[in-house]
């Protein structure tokens, strides 16, 4: 859902396309992680973000900006086009050169508020634009950051003009209506309350205000509740008129199109829009009314006295921020190399000093380089019972030691290689490529910035790294923040079978008529381009390991996705967390390599390998440059066959996991998820068990070894690879590396016991005092992947809550009533029992209304069904989204993998859309009658309600 950029890496998540449609592919990992929320990128050079900087010796064969054409229309609109003909899809992005940098106290958050209002409709199309984008099958969203506000959509290529028409319409004709503004202000406040739940967010806000006391970079990007509540229609309209014009915008198009024809279409659609009106504020002005200094004026006391927040929370945090120059300054490349040396990976300097010693559980850092300034930010999560002052002292000493003794050429070259690989691997899909062009053009005024930057990074020397540490990372320059929790949270639960919050009568409004959507949708060529019917080659080793290979020469990279049937469903009840313990420690040492060697081998090549534990399996995620695939596969084979689980590393991981658990149980979303699952699935059920402090403490090294021996087997392992490789060579390589992996006996299996539906409404309320936002989960047992109603359920879900703007629930609860920042539904269907769930975030005072409205909507669809036109629209959306997803190598690899895991034929990769197309109106309504049960539902709301009961376990 649209929103503003996050401030720090812990909360960053790149907006993966088609998240909700993808749920069925990852449903084997049933209710395993926190619900995914669309979040948006900080425009920075952090290695975890798409703006991560780059390059040493391993540059892509062509530059990132090759084939990019820049055109400026007569009205000032900048157009960047880049043809990429690897798949019949295209992305359209409009970037406005305005963000929170253009604000001041009192109107903080107005850019973000306007971004929300840009979905509310125009004079020509008085309809929620999210419904139009959904009808097009567009993966569309938006975000607000410091220097820009961006709107993006990725579609099949035959819908390119339709997207252009919609973006041009709202560039000029958006309407800011009083009633809609009032509703959307509630949504924004709900969003802000969600961030207020996080101690990291609150600490970051306090520190940034001290670093930039006289500049808008010190203001929170999304604004404050106090300012948002005061916004008036006239203010928002003025901001819209001042900053939303073609001469203050950049249009970026990347994908499968012909440049000459597309430029003519752009001139036809956008060329008639007028420039900014004379006499209004210049787009380059820092704020609406007051000119801010472009450099921070720091208070004299900020350097010597840490900012200390003593508030309710779960763990101690240390944040240190150093001011840096803007993105165009020549020191930026060396600063990024420095960041990698200090904090990237197990062998980084600060990780060794703080995490390996047990002082810290986690350390993250990022370099942010913006239009007018920048900063280097370090965030440390303290280990159990560790003192923040000691951690801060050790951090300062470690940085001073690097400045005094220098860095090695080997460290610098490894950092440069990691940077290069990161940027290559993060630009494999067209949406990301367009994001980079838009970021560079709006931040520094040059879409070719990255190419210049790559060249500069490749020249960085050890002396340059030391020079920037001495110049910027001084004790005098930094601002320090401590978060000291004032209490250990005691989470309580109350079960109220017939809670009053579920009996209020809030009748939903009339459903959105699909005919209205079609009325305002621009013309589209309904003949969809055929997706190339390329299928993976399947192989099976004699030990049972299954392999799927799909060569793709479009980029010099390889994406690896794997699965091992060793999920948390096999956790012993008294040792919950064991499966994750095994997976998380695989890379910590083998018979021939210690943890540092493994990290070094991967780091020197910029390759990544990770193991994530879910309910029904362990997911392997890996990627590398094409030349480094043999190394990636060698490490993977070594760790799954020969991991030794050193005691020192296990104990370090245990302490980190305990700290993570403490923080998770301070988050309403995690508490709601746990209680929801445990309220549906009874004790002794494989899905009921979650890790606790007691269960984690009981896990011994021999337990880890025994679990690994029993459950990590080639005959329950599947590997899928998509990328630039020779089929026969990779097949031979995998046979060589994995062929001697022995299997003994039959693989362990589980039979899930049947679970009855709840006989009434069950309301459970975990109490987390002092939280600003509540999170609600609603649902019950559902269907598995093999249920004959599966495809009809997907169509039903798309109509019900598959999209937070265009669905029935989104239109009513979020858009009309403004009760929730985000509301989604899904049928999570694994190999075993599935779960139907609805998730929403609300202000605590709005929870009852939102729950009542949601139940009313379930009742309405259960009894009355949906319309035939809704079914056809949902089917088109699902099919379009699916086709777009196949252009993303990570999603493509995961789809290939999970089809095999589920035992589906490999042609499912392309027959899925046919199965959706064949779903009938009657089948969807039958699914609604059979699968929606508004009066037999578990409702869990985690938040600041004052209730009492048993503690969570």
């Amino acid at each position: 859902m649209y929103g503003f950029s996050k401030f720090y890496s812990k909360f960053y998540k790149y907006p993966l396309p088609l998240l909700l449609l993808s749920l069925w592919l990852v449903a084997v990992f049933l209710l395993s992680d926190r619900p995914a929320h669309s979040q948006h990128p900080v425009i920075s050079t952090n290695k975890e973000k798409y703006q991560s900087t780059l390059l040493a010796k391993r540059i892509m064969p062509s530059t990132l900006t090759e084939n990019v054409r820049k055109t400026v229309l007569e009205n000032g609109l900048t157009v960047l086009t880049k043809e990429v003909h690897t798949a019949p899809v295209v992305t359209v992005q409009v970037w406005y050169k305005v963000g929170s940098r253009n604000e001041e106290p009192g109107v903080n958050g107005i850019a973000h508020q306007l971004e929300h209002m840009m979905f509310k409709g125009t004079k020509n199309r008085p309809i929620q634009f999210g419904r139009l984008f959904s009808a097009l099958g567009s993966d569309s969203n938006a975000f607000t950051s410091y220097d820009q506000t961006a709107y993006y959509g990725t579609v099949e290529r035959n819908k390119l003009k339709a997207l252009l028409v919609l973006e041009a319409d709202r560039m000029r004709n958006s309407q800011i209506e009083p009633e809609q503004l009032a509703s959307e202000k509630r949504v924004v406040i709900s969003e802000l309350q969600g961030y207020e739940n996080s101690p990291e967010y609150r600490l970051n806000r306090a520190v940034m205000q001290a670093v930039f006391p006289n500049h808008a970079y010190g203001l929170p990007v999304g604004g404050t509740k106090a300012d948002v509540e005061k916004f008036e229609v006239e203010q928002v309209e003025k901001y819209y008129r001042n900053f939303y014009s073609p001469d203050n915008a950049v249009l970026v198009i990347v994908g499968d199109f012909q440049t000459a024809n597309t430029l003519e279409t752009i001139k036809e659609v956008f060329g008639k829009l007028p420039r900014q009106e004379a006499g209004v504020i210049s787009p380059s002005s820092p704020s609406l009314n007051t000119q801010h200094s472009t450099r921070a004026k720091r208070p004299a006391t900020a350097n010597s006295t840490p900012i200390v927040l003593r508030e309710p929370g779960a763990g101690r945090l240390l944040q240190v921020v150093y001011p840096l120059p803007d993105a165009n300054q020549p020191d930026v490349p060396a600063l990024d190399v420095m960041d990698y040396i200090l904090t990237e990976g197990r062998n980084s300097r600060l990780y060794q000093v703080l995490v390996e010693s047990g002082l810290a559980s986690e350390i993250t850092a990022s370099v942010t380089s913006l239009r007018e300034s920048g900063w280097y930010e370090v965030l440390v999560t303290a280990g159990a019972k560790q003192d923040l002052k000691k951690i801060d002292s050790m951090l300062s000493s470690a940085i001073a030691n690097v400045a005094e003794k220098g860095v090695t050429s080997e460290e610098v070259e490894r950092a440069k290689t990691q940077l290069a690989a990161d940027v290559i691997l993060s630009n494999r899909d067209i949406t990301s490529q367009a994001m980079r062009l838009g970021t560079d053009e709006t931040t520094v005024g040059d879409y070719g910035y990255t190419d210049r930057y790559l060249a500069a990074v490749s020249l960085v020397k050890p002396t340059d790294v030391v020079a920037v540490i001495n110049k910027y990372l001084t004790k005098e320059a930094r601002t320090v923040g401590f978060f000291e929790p004032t209490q250990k949270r005691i989470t309580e639960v109350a079960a109220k079978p017939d809670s009053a919050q579920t009996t209020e009568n809030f009748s939903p409004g009339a459903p959105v008529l699909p005919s209205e959507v079609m009325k305002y949708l621009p013309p589209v060529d309904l003949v969809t381009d055929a997706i190339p019917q390329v299928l993976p080659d399947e192989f099976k080793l004699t030990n049972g390991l299954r392999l799927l290979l799909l060569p793709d020469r479009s980029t010099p990279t390889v994406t690896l996705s794997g699965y091992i049937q060793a999920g948390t469903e096999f956790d012993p009840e008294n040792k919950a967390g064991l499966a994750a313990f095994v997976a998380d420690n695989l890379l910590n040492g083998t018979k021939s390599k210690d943890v540092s060697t493994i990290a070094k081998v991967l780091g020197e090549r910029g390759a990544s390998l990770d193991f994530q534990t879910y309910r029904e399996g362990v997911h392997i995620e890996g990627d590398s440059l094409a030349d480094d695939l043999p190394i990636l596969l060698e490490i993977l084979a070594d760790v799954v066959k020969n991991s030794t689980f050193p005691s020192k590393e296990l104990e370090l991981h245990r302490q980190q996991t305990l700290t993570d658990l403490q923080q998770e149980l301070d988050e309403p979303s995690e508490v709601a998820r746990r209680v929801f699952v445990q309220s549906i699935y009874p004790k002794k059920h494989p899905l009921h068990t979650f890790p606790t402090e007691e269960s984690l403490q009981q896990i011994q090294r021999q337990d880890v070894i025994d679990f690994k021996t029993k459950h990590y087997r080639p005959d329950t392992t599947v590997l899928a690879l998509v990328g630039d490789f020779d089929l026969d060579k990779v097949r031979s390589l995998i046979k060589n590396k994995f062929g001697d992996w022995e299997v003994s006996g039959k693989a362990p299996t589980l039979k899930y016991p049947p679970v009855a539906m709840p006989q009434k409404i069950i309301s459970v309320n975990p109490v987390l005092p002092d939280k600003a936002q509540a999170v609600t989960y609603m649902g019950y047992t559902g269907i598995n992947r093999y249920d004959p109603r599966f495809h009809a359920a997907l169509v039903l879900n798309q109509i019900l809550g598959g999209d937070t703007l265009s669905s029935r629930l989104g239109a009513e609860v979020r858009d009309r009533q403004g009760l929730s920042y985000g509301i989604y539904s899904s049928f999570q269907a694994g190999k075993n029992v599935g779960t139907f769930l609805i998730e929403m975030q609300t202000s605590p005072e709005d929870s009852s209304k939102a729950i009542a409205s949601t139940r009313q909507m379930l009742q309405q669809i259960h009894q009355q069904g949906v319309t035939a036109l809704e079914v056809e629209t949902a089917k088109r959306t699902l099919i379009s989204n699916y086709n777009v997803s196949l252009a993303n190598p990570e999603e493509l690899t995961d789809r290939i993998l999970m089809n095999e895991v589920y035992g589906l034929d490999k042609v499912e990769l392309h027959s899925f859309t046919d199965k959706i197309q064949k779903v009938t109106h009657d089948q969807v309504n039958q699914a609604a009658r059979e699968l929606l049960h508004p009066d037999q539902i578990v409702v869990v709301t985690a938040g600041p309600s004052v209730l009492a009961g048993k503690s969570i376990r």
Side-chain angles (χ1 to χ4, degrees):
M1 130 193 17
Y2 44 83
F4 61 88
S5 299
K6 301 305 176 286
F7 291 80
Y8 36 83
S9 60
K10 181 165 182 160
F11 282 86
Y12 172 78
K13 191 184 295 180
Y14 187 77
L16 293 176
L18 318 171
L19 183 62
L20 294 174
L21 177 63
S22 299
L23 280 173
W24 72 272
L25 288 168
V26 297
V28 67
F29 314 133
L30 183 64
L31 287 171
S32 53
D33 276 348
R34 298 169 205 171
H37 304 287
S38 292
Q39 299 180 6
H40 307 288
V42 174
I43 308 304
S44 74
T45 50
N46 180 9
K47 55 189 167 287
E48 296 180 357
K49 304 176 177 129
Y50 70 80
Q51 178 66 8
S52 64
T53 48
L54 9 259
L55 211 111
K57 299 176 179 178
R58 312 167 66 128
I59 304 177
M60 293 177 70
S62 59
T63 64
L64 292 170
T65 55
E66 187 175 54
N67 298 326
V68 176
R69 178 171 171 178
K70 182 175 181 177
T71 306
V72 180
L73 303 189
E74 291 184 4
N75 61 5
L77 178 67
T78 298
V79 182
L80 302 177
T81 54
K82 179 180 180 180
E83 294 185 25
V84 179
H85 299 290
T86 54
V89 296
V90 63
T91 188
V92 174
Q93 302 182 4
V94 178
W95 293 66
Y96 294 95
K97 300 175 188 177
V98 59
S100 63
R101 178 181 64 86
N102 304 83
E103 297 173 356
E104 61 182 4
V107 291
N108 180 209
I110 196 167
H112 176 224
Q113 184 70 63
L114 176 58
E115 175 220 312
H116 278 241
M117 298 307 298
M118 289 288 284
F119 285 83
K120 288 294 190 178
T122 66
K123 299 172 185 176
N124 302 324
R125 295 177 173 85
I127 186 173
Q128 163 60 254
F129 264 45
R131 295 170 199 151
L132 299 176
F133 293 134
S134 179
L136 284 174
S138 174
D139 171 31
S140 294
N141 217 316
F143 65 85
T144 303
S145 191
Y146 296 96
D147 291 336
Q148 57 275 105
T149 304
Y151 303 82
Y152 59 94
T154 303
V155 293
E156 296 156 308
R157 65 184 175 192
N158 61 310
K159 298 165 184 175
L160 169 59
K161 184 174 181 179
L163 270 189
L164 292 174
V165 169
L166 292 176
E167 291 296 352
D169 189 17
R170 65 176 173 174
M171 178 182 284
R172 180 64 178 172
N173 302 313
S174 287
Q175 294 192 110
I176 316 293
E177 300 289 349
E179 184 177 345
Q180 292 184 335
L181 178 60
S183 171
E184 204 64 25
K185 282 163 62 174
R186 292 181 72 175
V187 170
V188 169
I189 289 170
S190 173
E191 179 183 357
L192 297 179
Q193 288 173 326
Y195 304 130
E196 288 287 339
N197 281 352
S198 163
E200 290 95 330
Y201 175 87
R202 302 198 300 273
L203 179 62
N204 177 269
R205 183 179 61 189
V207 171
M208 289 298 291
Q209 286 174 341
V211 175
F212 294 101
N214 302 304
H215 194 286
Y217 286 161
L219 301 174
V221 173
T224 63
K225 179 181 179 182
D227 282 0
V228 170
E229 285 178 332
K230 293 184 294 186
F231 290 155
E232 300 291 342
V233 169
E234 293 75 17
Q235 285 178 296
V236 181
E237 282 183 335
K238 181 179 179 182
Y239 202 87
Y240 174 60
R241 292 194 305 271
N242 287 345
F243 295 107
Y244 278 59
S245 61
D247 49 319
N248 194 41
V250 177
L251 172 64
V252 186
I253 304 175
V254 176
D256 192 15
F257 63 92
Q258 298 299 319
T259 301
N261 294 339
T262 300
L263 284 175
E264 289 302 313
T265 301
I266 292 170
K267 292 174 184 176
E268 171 194 340
V269 173
F270 283 89
K272 57 191 174 185
L273 301 183
R275 285 177 171 269
Q276 189 181 59
E277 297 175 14
V280 300
I281 297 172
S282 166
S284 62
S285 298
S287 73
L288 284 172
N289 301 305
T290 302
Q291 298 294 313
H292 289 281
S293 165
T294 59
R295 293 292 181 268
K297 297 178 181 177
R298 297 163 46 75
T301 59
N303 302 324
S304 57
T305 305
I307 297 164
V308 181
L309 295 187
R310 291 186 173 90
E311 299 175 355
R316 295 179 176 88
L317 301 170
L318 165 69
Q319 185 166 52
V320 183
V321 176
Y322 302 85
L324 295 181
D326 63 77
N328 267 318
Q329 297 303 309
D331 286 337
V332 173
L335 285 163
D336 292 316
V337 175
M338 172 206 75
D339 175 38
Y340 271 61
I341 292 172
L342 291 180
T343 65
E344 173 63 14
R346 293 292 297 259
N347 292 328
S348 63
R349 296 294 189 96
L350 296 183
Y351 187 96
Q352 291 287 318
V353 170
L354 298 177
V355 181
E356 289 287 355
S357 67
L359 282 173
S361 172
E362 182 181 13
I363 179 169
T364 60
S366 62
V367 173
T368 299
S369 300
L370 301 179
R371 180 168 179 158
E372 294 180 356
S373 191
W375 57 88
Y376 184 52
E377 173 186 344
V378 181
L379 179 66
V380 182
T381 303
K385 301 179 181 179
Q386 297 295 333
D387 181 68
L388 290 177
K389 291 182 179 179
K390 181 179 180 181
I391 294 173
D392 185 34
S393 176
M394 293 295 291
L395 173 67
S396 296
S397 297
I399 292 174
N401 184 61
V402 176
E404 179 184 349
K405 296 184 178 180
V407 296
T408 67
S409 296
E410 180 185 10
E411 285 178 303
V412 172
E413 291 307 309
R414 181 166 63 243
K416 287 154 64 171
T417 299
Q418 290 172 321
L419 284 165
D422 276 357
V423 77
I424 293 170
L425 293 168
S426 67
N427 279 278
R428 288 176 290 178
D429 64 279
I430 62 171
T431 302
S432 298
Q433 292 177 44
M435 285 278 184
R436 181 169 294 278
L437 294 173
T439 298
D440 288 350
E441 184 68 20
T442 55
T443 302
V444 299
D446 177 15
Y447 73 86
Y449 171 79
T450 291
D451 283 338
R452 290 191 289 109
Y453 185 69
L454 299 183
V457 169
S458 69
L459 299 175
V460 171
K461 303 183 295 294
T463 53
D464 299 325
V465 175
V466 173
V468 295
I469 292 176
N470 284 320
K471 185 174 181 180
Y472 298 106
L473 270 58
T474 64
K475 293 193 73 169
E476 297 74 27
R478 70 191 196 131
T479 299
V480 179
F482 292 169
F483 181 85
E484 294 276 8
T486 57
Q487 66 186 55
K488 182 176 181 180
R489 288 196 180 279
I490 300 175
T491 307
E492 299 176 328
V493 176
K496 300 181 69 178
D498 294 297
S499 171
Q501 69 176 0
T502 63
T503 59
E504 298 180 51
N505 184 20
F506 291 92
S507 298
V512 179
L513 295 176
S515 58
E516 285 293 292
V517 177
M518 295 300 109
K519 174 181 175 182
Y520 295 114
L521 200 66
V524 172
D525 180 3
L526 296 180
V527 179
T528 304
D529 295 296
I531 302 296
Q533 301 289 303
V534 180
L535 295 173
D537 285 276
E538 294 180 296
F539 305 99
K540 188 174 183 179
L541 304 188
T542 55
N543 59 11
L545 187 145
R546 289 166 285 166
L547 179 64
L548 299 106
L549 302 176
L550 181 60
D552 175 10
R553 310 287 185 181
S554 58
T555 65
T557 65
V558 176
T559 301
L560 181 151
S561 190
Y563 168 92
I564 302 173
Q565 190 176 311
T568 61
E569 63 184 7
F570 291 110
D571 275 350
E573 184 179 1
N574 65 336
K575 295 180 181 178
L578 177 58
F581 238 71
V582 175
D584 293 343
N585 283 278
L586 288 172
L587 291 165
N588 285 344
T590 67
K591 296 175 183 177
S592 60
K593 301 179 184 69
D594 63 15
V595 60
S596 296
T597 302
I598 293 171
K600 181 179 179 182
V601 169
L602 292 172
E604 285 176 343
R605 290 156 179 82
S608 70
L609 182 62
D610 191 29
F611 298 85
Q612 297 289 333
T613 310
Y614 298 91
R615 285 294 174 188
E616 291 184 358
V618 172
H619 193 200
I620 306 167
E621 300 171 353
D623 51 33
S624 72
L625 301 180
D627 290 344
D628 297 323
L629 177 59
I631 299 296
L632 182 65
L633 290 173
E634 178 183 338
I635 294 294
L636 174 60
D638 191 23
V639 299
V640 297
K641 292 188 298 182
N642 304 313
S643 288
T644 54
F645 305 107
S647 297
K648 176 186 175 183
E649 300 299 335
L650 282 178
E651 288 309 309
L652 180 62
H653 176 72
R654 189 196 312 275
Q655 296 308 312
Q656 293 170 337
T657 303
L658 288 169
T659 301
D660 290 344
L661 176 64
Q662 186 182 31
Q663 292 185 321
E664 286 175 2
L665 294 181
D666 187 53
E667 297 178 8
S669 60
E670 176 64 20
V671 173
R673 182 179 71 89
R674 282 185 171 228
V675 176
F676 173 73
V677 173
Q678 292 183 329
S679 298
I680 295 175
Y681 301 105
K683 290 183 177 180
K684 307 299 182 182
H685 192 283
L687 296 184
H688 183 87
T689 306
F690 282 87
T692 65
E693 182 177 349
E694 292 79 9
S695 72
L696 292 172
Q697 292 285 14
Q698 291 190 50
I699 296 172
Q700 304 299 313
R701 179 171 180 266
Q702 193 59 49
D703 298 322
V704 175
I705 293 171
D706 292 345
F707 188 98
K708 161 71 164 47
T709 301
K710 182 177 182 180
H711 295 286
Y712 280 66
R713 308 164 50 97
D715 56 340
T716 64
T717 299
V718 184
L719 297 179
L721 286 89
V722 174
D724 186 8
F725 55 76
D726 179 88
L727 196 66
D728 292 334
K729 289 182 179 179
V730 170
R731 179 186 179 187
S732 176
L733 179 64
I734 292 177
K735 183 177 181 180
N736 177 261
K737 297 296 181 184
F738 292 87
D740 62 348
W741 190 7
E742 297 180 354
V743 60
S744 176
K746 291 185 177 181
T749 58
L750 274 178
K751 185 174 182 180
Y752 281 29
V755 178
M757 290 283 296
Q759 295 304 302
K760 54 189 174 183
I761 301 166
I762 299 176
S763 177
V764 188
N765 299 93
V767 179
L768 284 84
D770 305 305
K771 290 299 184 183
Q773 185 192 61
V775 176
T776 297
Y777 272 63
M778 305 172 64
Y780 37 76
T781 55
I783 59 176
N784 64 28
R785 177 61 181 86
Y786 312 106
D787 193 291
R789 299 166 295 184
F790 174 73
H791 295 94
L794 287 182
V795 176
L796 171 65
N797 185 72
Q798 180 65 27
I799 297 168
L800 172 66
D803 181 274
T804 200
L805 293 180
S806 64
S807 65
R808 288 268 197 108
L809 286 175
E812 176 63 23
V813 179
R814 186 205 191 283
D815 204 41
R816 190 176 76 86
Q817 297 189 50
L819 299 177
S820 173
Y821 170 54
I823 180 167
Y824 300 95
S825 66
S826 63
F827 287 93
Q828 297 196 337
K831 291 197 294 184
N832 294 293
V833 62
T835 304
F836 170 71
L837 67 91
I838 297 170
E839 185 220 347
M840 69 180 95
Q841 307 94 40
T842 61
S843 298
E845 61 270 20
D846 288 336
S847 296
S848 295
K849 292 180 182 179
I851 292 168
S853 293
T854 299
R855 284 194 53 240
Q856 290 280 345
M857 183 61 70
L858 289 174
Q859 190 75 47
Q860 185 182 82
I861 296 179
H862 171 74
Q863 293 178 345
Q864 303 173 19
V866 299
T867 68
L869 193 50
E870 280 181 305
V871 170
E872 291 307 310
T873 301
K875 285 159 57 174
R876 282 200 301 272
T877 299
L878 288 170
I879 291 170
S880 297
N881 285 345
Y882 184 85
N883 288 338
V884 169
S885 76
L886 296 184
N888 184 303
E890 292 182 352
E891 292 194 47
L892 173 62
T893 311
D894 279 344
R895 292 182 189 282
I896 291 171
L897 173 77
M898 296 311 298
N899 284 343
E900 177 64 26
V901 168
Y902 288 137
L904 306 174
D905 193 287
K906 66 179 182 179
V907 300
E908 175 73 14
L909 187 65
H910 299 293
S911 64
F912 171 79
T913 55
D914 293 332
K915 293 176 181 178
I916 292 292
Q917 185 59 52
K918 290 177 181 176
V919 171
T920 66
H921 181 212
D922 288 343
Q923 287 173 334
V924 174
N925 281 337
Q926 181 179 350
R929 290 190 296 271
E930 295 175 357
L931 300 178
L932 300 184
H933 306 285
D935 297 322
Q936 295 175 277
I937 193 167
V938 172
V939 181
V940 176
T941 301
S945 304
V946 181
L947 297 169
K950 58 184 180 180
S951 59
I952 295 177
R953 284 294 180 267

